[in-house]
Amino acid sequence: MPARAWPRLAPACSVDPGDPNPVQPERGPSGLEKAASVAWATPVTPLSPSPPWDAPGKRAKSMALGLEVSGLELSVPRAPQPGPARGLFTCSLLLVSPGEEVACLPLTPTDQVFLGPGPTGLAYSSRAKYPAIKALMRPDPNLKWAVLGLVLAQLLACWLVRELAWRWLLFWAYAFGGCVNHSLTLAIHDISHNTAFGTAFASRNRWFAIFANLPVGVPYAASFKKYHVDHHRYLGGDGLDKYHVDHHRYLGGDGLDVDVPTRLEGWLFCTPARKLLWLVLQPFFYSLRPLCVHPKAITRMEVLNTLVQLAVDLTIFALWGIKPVAYLLASSLLGLGLHPISGHFVAEHYMFTKGHETYSYYGPLNWITFNVGYHMEHHDFPSIPGCNLPLVRKIAPEYYDHLPQYHSWVKVLWDFVFKDSLGPYARVKRVCKLAQDGL
């Protein structure tokens, strides 16, 4: 079978730039932004050589993320800065699926560029309609104890496998250690949102994530935190001037969201056998991709994470030999590779249904994965810990129950491998650039 070219999705609609109050098309998994945008809709400001569309002072206040246009770019001002010069933030959207390129601008309901409203739009309406949701934005009191239990379980397993035959060591690394280590990586994900001790104790959360990292075998927690912030700021981001990244909290942006596979991955892993290999090698792609597409300076916390991890690995080796260390590493590689829990890597943002970018999973594996399956709810409210995400759906079922959803991660992996319409290329990618100041 010939290699599949990197595709695009054909435009679904266009907006007349002369219409002062354009009708916002439905966007994303729910289309709720369309309904919610009525209160915010005002004219947008496209980059165009003729007035009044490029007139200074225009403010884009539409919250209709996914406004599709034809033949022009749109702009939204950056956060207010001292002085008369204010740069313009421009963006286009590439839907990585068969078809053509789509021009698109995610917009926000204020003059400043804030974190996007999530996939359903509930984040903007919840304050007035569902005040109970705010009460869910609190630390998880049980998270620290669950993580402690998982870490101790893996240390006990290290002692038990020290004289085990290699074939049985690998079996238990997949069947037990893979589940525990994958669960710990998802605990680190939850902790990266300060859900263990709250935002007032950010340092405690960072150190606790390093503690949860110990059975993984390789330093991971500090780097994950650094890049995961960009995943929420620039979901699908692929093309923003890196020197302005930290000044714009925005959905869009080349290599900003390192969760998105590279073009080489999309081109190479396009047959069932190759996609299966891609899933097996997922731990390597997931850890090495950030270094290739969006390298960042090494932080002090990453150095400390590495030193602590090496100290623990060497201690285990000195006490019990090489097999426990091999068990921990095998648990991570096998558990994050072709494993039922790894279905969440694919289920979260790969476009199984055209026009839907983010999906939730409501199956039983949420019990051992800190409810990472509630991914729509998580992107709507990143500060809500995993233990409370099911309550979000219970409080506002009309925002989630009608959306495409999964109940089996194994089926997700099966469809990903054997459906021609799916592969590493089946992701939404947003390309952003910062226009010159003074435009």
Side-chain angles (χ1 to χ4, degrees):
M1 181 182 293
R4 186 184 297 271
W6 197 267
R8 298 285 180 266
L9 180 67
C13 63
S14 62
V15 176
D16 179 6
D19 185 354
N21 291 288
V23 176
Q24 313 297 349
E26 296 187 358
R27 177 265 178 191
S30 69
L32 293 173
E33 288 88 347
K34 177 179 179 180
S37 66
V38 174
W40 300 97
T42 61
V44 294
T45 311
L47 287 179
S48 169
S50 59
W53 299 105
D54 60 347
K58 286 278 187 178
R59 313 303 290 180
K61 297 184 181 179
S62 172
M63 71 163 289
L65 285 98
L67 177 62
E68 296 177 353
V69 300
S70 243
L72 55 87
E73 290 179 306
L74 300 182
S75 66
V76 62
R78 288 187 295 179
Q81 300 175 2
R86 292 181 178 177
L88 298 175
F89 195 82
T90 65
C91 175
S92 64
L93 173 63
L94 303 180
L95 296 183
V96 186
S97 180
E100 300 296 332
E101 180 173 332
V102 179
C104 172
L105 173 67
L107 300 173
T108 62
T110 68
D111 289 341
Q112 300 188 36
V113 181
F114 288 125
L115 188 66
T120 68
L122 174 60
Y124 276 119
S125 60
S126 63
R127 183 173 300 178
K129 190 175 181 181
Y130 298 112
I133 288 181
K134 186 176 181 181
L136 303 178
M137 301 176 186
R138 61 179 186 270
D140 178 1
N142 298 317
L143 180 57
K144 59 180 75 68
W145 305 115
V147 169
L148 176 61
L150 292 172
V151 171
L152 293 178
Q154 280 295 70
L155 291 178
L156 175 61
C158 285
W159 180 78
L160 293 174
V161 304
R162 69 194 187 282
E163 296 179 356
L164 204 62
W166 282 104
R167 63 180 182 276
W168 287 109
L169 184 148
L170 293 176
F171 170 80
W172 288 112
Y174 184 87
F176 177 76
C179 296
V180 175
N181 276 15
H182 202 139
S183 182
L184 283 170
T185 64
L186 296 174
I188 292 170
H189 163 259
D190 222 24
I191 298 166
S192 73
H193 293 283
N194 297 315
T195 58
F197 299 97
T199 55
F201 302 98
S203 179
R204 294 184 187 179
N205 287 286
R206 301 293 82 77
W207 281 106
F208 189 61
I210 290 176
F211 173 75
N213 191 159
L214 297 181
V216 177
V218 294
Y220 161 80
S223 298
F224 176 82
K225 165 68 176 179
K226 181 173 68 174
Y227 283 101
H228 188 64
V229 170
D230 288 345
H231 173 66
H232 280 271
R233 288 176 176 174
Y234 316 103
L235 179 61
D238 186 55
L240 177 66
D241 181 352
K242 65 180 180 179
Y243 297 106
H244 295 89
V245 167
D246 294 332
H247 299 290
H248 303 280
R249 299 189 172 218
Y250 214 78
L251 290 179
D254 195 39
L256 290 181
D257 183 3
V258 296
D259 185 59
V260 177
T262 63
R263 292 180 181 273
L264 177 61
E265 292 172 72
W267 173 80
L268 182 60
F269 299 99
C270 57
T271 67
R274 295 181 192 178
K275 287 189 284 185
L276 190 66
L277 177 62
W278 185 79
L279 292 174
V280 171
L281 299 177
Q282 183 67 221
F284 297 99
F285 288 115
Y286 197 80
S287 58
L288 297 178
R289 188 186 300 129
L291 305 179
C292 298
V293 302
H294 188 45
K296 294 186 177 184
I298 297 175
T299 65
R300 176 177 174 271
M301 210 64 194
E302 286 177 295
V303 173
L304 294 174
N305 190 178
T306 301
L307 293 176
V308 170
Q309 189 66 54
L310 287 175
V312 171
D313 290 347
L314 291 174
T315 300
I316 292 175
F317 173 74
L319 291 175
W320 300 320
I322 190 62
K323 284 189 175 180
V325 177
Y327 165 79
L328 293 179
L329 294 175
S331 296
S332 297
L333 293 177
L334 297 175
L336 294 169
L338 188 60
H339 193 280
I341 299 178
S342 294
H344 81 88
F345 286 127
V346 176
E348 290 167 357
H349 297 295
Y350 285 80
M351 197 162 60
F352 279 67
T353 303
K354 182 180 290 188
H356 293 269
E357 176 181 3
T358 305
Y359 304 79
S360 282
Y361 158 82
Y362 299 126
L365 289 179
N366 278 314
W367 284 92
I368 60 173
T369 57
F370 299 93
N371 286 324
V372 73
Y374 288 80
H375 215 65
M376 300 272 295
E377 296 83 347
H378 172 64
H379 272 265
D380 277 338
F381 304 99
S383 60
I384 293 181
C387 65
N388 289 336
L389 290 177
L391 297 177
V392 174
R393 184 188 179 204
K394 186 176 181 180
I395 291 172
E398 70 273 21
Y399 280 80
Y400 301 103
D401 287 352
H402 68 287
L403 300 177
Q405 55 193 246
Y406 304 117
H407 297 275
S408 171
W409 277 334
V410 173
K411 186 178 186 303
V412 167
L413 293 174
W414 179 274
D415 291 343
F416 180 82
V417 170
F418 292 105
K419 284 190 176 181
D420 289 339
S421 60
L422 295 172
Y425 51 81
R427 286 290 301 263
V428 173
K429 298 180 71 176
R430 292 177 175 83
V431 178
C432 290
K433 61 183 180 180
L434 186 69
Q436 296 178 1
D437 287 346
L439 283 181

